[in-house]
Each structure stands twice: as C-alpha cells, then as structure tokens.
C-alpha cells in the first residue's frame, strides 16, 4: 500500500529551503516543462527557477495577457497558452497546441488552483473548485500523457494542500447539491489532487511517468483572492493592514521549493505516488500526534484513488492512459 512508503527519505532540504536552493547547479537544458498558473504566486517562482536552470516552459493561463506581462523579464524560452481549467474545451485546445509544439514533456506542474470560492457552477453543473482544481488538471494530464510517456522519466507534480485534511471525497454529494460549504469544497478538491497523483503514478510507472502530490506550506499569494481581509485576520494569517503575521508562513520562493524538489530530486527516482511537504516525503497523519502533520490515510488509499479516477474519466471523457 502506498502509505507504507510515506516515510522521510533524508532530503538535504527543509521547510526553509527556497526554489533557488533546490535548483542550484541543476542543468535542465533540453527539458520541456508545463506549469499551470506559472505566472503568479508559486507558479511564477517555479517558472523563474526552471528557466534559470535552462528548461523550456509552457504556461497555460486563464488570463494570457496578464501572464505575458508577469513573465516579461523572466527571460529564457517561455510560451503562454490560453487555458481555463474550469472549461474543458479550452483545456483540450491548449493540450492540442502543446502536442503540436513539443515532442516530449519532462515535467508537468499542476500548480494553478482556487480556494474557498463563492458557490459557482461550471460545465454541466459541476462545483467549481472540484472542476478547476481536479477535473481541469486531470483532463490536461490525460491529454498530454503521450508526451509524458515519450519523455525520459517524466514527473508530474500536483499541488495539493494541508487543507486536504478537511474532508475525504464526498462520494454521496461531490458537487454539493444539498448545500454548499466553501471550505469543505476546497478540502475535497485538495484530497482529489492527492488521489489523482496516487493513481496516475500507478498507471504511468510502466512508461516511466511518476507522480507526486504536495503541500507547499502556508503562503499568502493570490490564492486568497476570494477571501476578505477580515476572514484572513480572523484566521490569524494577517493583521488589519494585510501584513503576514501567522506562524510558520513561507515566502513564495520557499513555497515553490517542494514542487521543484519533487520534479528534480534524484532521491525520488524510482519512487512515486507520494505526498510531500517541506522538501521531504511526509508521514501518514497520526491522530495521536496531530501536531506532526502529514497526509491523511484516505488521501493515499490506492482503492479510493482508482475509484476517483473512474469518476473523473466518466465526467471528463478522458482517454485511458498507461500500459
């Protein structure tokens, strides 16, 4: 069972490590990366570090012009492609463009996301956080899978959150038909992100495609855009002026470090389907010592991951992948 492999492996990095620390000395010349949301917050830090190491980066973006402006000055080989994760038509169009442009994909970062949004319905009435955070990335990855399989040991890095501890997948009502709760919806989407990585890794390892999910840490970025200042004050994240005061908060370069470690660390060769935090493999959450964090057992359950995959295929019409 995957959870038995959820043990620290002696990473040289820590919660304090930055994207620059992780990528120092790395040569990613000739490597192709796709970073959703790679123009703001942790995505921008990720793009900057990848370009600095010589990689070619494609950034699917809901707001292409904003993305191009944000990436101006990053340098290197960066292309912006229009895509809205909540609109599968645009996801397929972006994937088709990428398939025509790149021969292989070495690194795919599912970084973009939304958090605690007001109730919104997209597609055929899907709850929008589940749709954008999970279905959109699921469909994109399936569409791009042939390029991942054609790579030499491709890795997929899925951004989850400690928020996955809010709830397991609500199989009885995943789209909140019986009443909406924005934090339950966020938690479910983040659990889906972990389960997605678990089963993608199981399907892809025969093609050399490995997948990881992660908690980047607590970071104030544009992810909080749907929360009021007062909500963030009440949670102890910021003061009345919006200044970060919460304990344990990371800077954006520190927040991007775990994803880059997942994508590049030789320690993770021949591993996958794991949940990471603070540039290390996380332990499974222990109710006896809740302060130690870790991943909830339900989020790394292979059977639950397989069930969610079937639901996601049926919802998105994605093609089968793997051997």
């Amino acid at each position: 069972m995957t959870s038995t492999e959820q043990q620290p492996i002696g990473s040289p990095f820590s919660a304090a490590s930055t994207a620059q620390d992780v990528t120092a000395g790395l040569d990613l010349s000739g490597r192709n990366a796709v970073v959703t949301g790679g123009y703001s917050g942790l995505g921008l830090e990720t793009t900057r570090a990848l370009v600095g190491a010589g990689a070619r980066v494609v950034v699917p973006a809901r707001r292409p012009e904003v993305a191009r402006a944000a990436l101006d000055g990053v340098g290197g080989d960066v292309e912006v492609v229009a895509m809205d994760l909540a609109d599968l038509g645009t996801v397929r169009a972006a994937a088709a463009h990428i398939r025509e442009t790149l021969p292989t994909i070495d690194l795919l970062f599912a970084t973009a996301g939304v958090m605690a949004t007001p109730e919104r319905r997209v597609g055929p009435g899907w709850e929008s956080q589940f749709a954008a955070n999970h279905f959109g990335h699921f469909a994109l990855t399936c569409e791009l899978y042939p390029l991942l399989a054609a790579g030499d040991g491709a890795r997929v890095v899925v951004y989850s959150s400690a928020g996955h501890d809010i709830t397991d997948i609500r199989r009885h009502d995943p789209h909140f038909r019986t009443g909406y709760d924005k934090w339950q919806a966020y938690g479910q989407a983040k659990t889906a992100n972990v389960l997605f990585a678990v089963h993608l890794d199981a399907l892809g390892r025969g093609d050399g495609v490995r997948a990881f999910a992660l908690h980047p840490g607590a970071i104030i970025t544009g992810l909080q855009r749907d929360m009021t200042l007062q909500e963030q004050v009440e949670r102890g994240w910021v003061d009345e002026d919006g200044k970060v005061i919460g304990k344990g908060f990371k800077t954006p370069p520190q927040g991007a470090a775990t994803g880059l470690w997942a994508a590049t660390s030789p320690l993770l060769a021949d591993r996958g389907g794991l949940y990471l935090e603070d540039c290390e493999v996380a332990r499974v959450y222990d109710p006896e010592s809740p302060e130690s964090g870790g991943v909830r057992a339900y989020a790394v359950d292979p059977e639950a991951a397989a069930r969610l995959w079937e639901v996601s295929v049926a919802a998105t019409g994605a093609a089968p992948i793997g051997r």
Side-chain angles (χ1 to χ4, degrees):
M1 185 173 176
T2 303
S3 59
T4 61
E5 300 170 16
Q6 286 288 159
Q7 300 289 340
I9 58 174
S11 167
F13 301 109
S14 69
S17 300
T18 66
Q20 291 70 33
D21 294 333
V22 171
T23 56
L26 272 184
D27 182 4
L28 297 179
S29 300
R31 298 285 181 143
N32 298 318
V34 176
V35 185
T36 68
Y39 63 99
S40 66
L42 305 186
L44 177 57
E45 295 294 338
T46 300
T47 299
R48 187 177 285 126
L50 291 170
V51 167
R56 178 181 184 183
V57 184
V58 176
V59 177
R62 185 170 57 86
R63 300 171 295 167
E65 294 311 314
V66 172
R68 291 187 183 97
L71 291 164
D72 184 39
V74 169
D77 188 352
V78 181
E79 179 186 7
V80 174
V81 178
M83 187 187 80
D84 181 347
L85 284 165
D87 181 342
L88 293 191
T90 72
V91 172
R92 294 189 182 98
H97 174 80
I98 294 170
R99 288 196 305 267
E100 292 170 0
T101 307
L102 300 179
T104 61
I105 294 174
D106 302 286
L107 306 172
L108 172 57
F109 292 81
T111 309
V114 293
M115 181 176 78
T117 62
E119 182 173 9
R120 298 184 185 121
R121 299 285 159 184
V122 299
W126 295 332
E127 188 280 310
S128 64
Q129 294 191 73
F130 198 58
N133 292 345
H134 173 57
F135 283 158
H137 281 126
F138 177 86
L140 178 67
T141 304
C142 290
E143 291 278 336
L144 295 178
Y145 187 81
L147 273 65
L148 292 163
D152 180 18
R155 295 189 192 181
V156 179
V157 179
V158 186
Y159 272 66
S160 179
S161 162
H164 82 273
D165 67 1
I166 297 170
T167 180
D168 195 353
I169 301 298
R170 294 161 39 100
R171 281 184 283 166
H172 66 290
D173 184 22
H175 295 291
F176 293 82
R177 311 287 187 197
T178 57
Y180 182 70
D181 181 294
K182 67 182 183 180
W183 285 108
Q184 287 282 317
Y186 176 67
Q188 174 181 246
K190 295 293 101 180
T191 293
N193 290 150
V194 188
L195 290 170
F196 170 47
V198 169
H199 201 62
L200 174 61
D201 187 79
L203 293 175
R205 65 185 63 172
D207 291 321
V209 178
R210 307 309 300 256
F212 302 90
L214 64 93
H215 169 45
I219 311 105
I220 297 296
T221 65
L223 186 63
Q224 293 81 18
R225 70 179 70 88
D226 286 297
M227 297 178 67
T228 64
L229 175 61
Q230 192 56 39
E231 282 182 284
Q232 296 181 58
V233 169
E234 290 170 0
R235 286 177 170 264
W237 295 354
V238 300
D239 62 19
E240 296 287 352
D241 296 320
K243 181 182 178 182
V244 177
I245 58 172
K247 291 183 179 179
F249 273 73
K250 295 183 179 183
T251 65
Q254 290 172 328
T258 299
L260 288 158
W261 182 73
T264 63
S265 175
L267 290 177
L268 294 171
D270 301 320
R271 298 177 187 267
L274 300 172
Y275 177 88
L276 316 175
E277 56 188 10
D278 295 336
C279 295
E280 181 58 280
V281 178
R283 290 184 169 87
V284 176
Y285 174 81
D286 180 1
E288 299 298 318
S289 55
E291 72 285 346
S292 62
V295 62
R296 300 289 171 143
Y298 58 69
V300 289
D301 182 314
E303 293 181 3
R307 284 196 301 270
L308 178 63
W309 192 278
E310 291 176 1
V311 168
S312 304
V313 167
T316 64
I321 70 169
R323 296 182 182 180

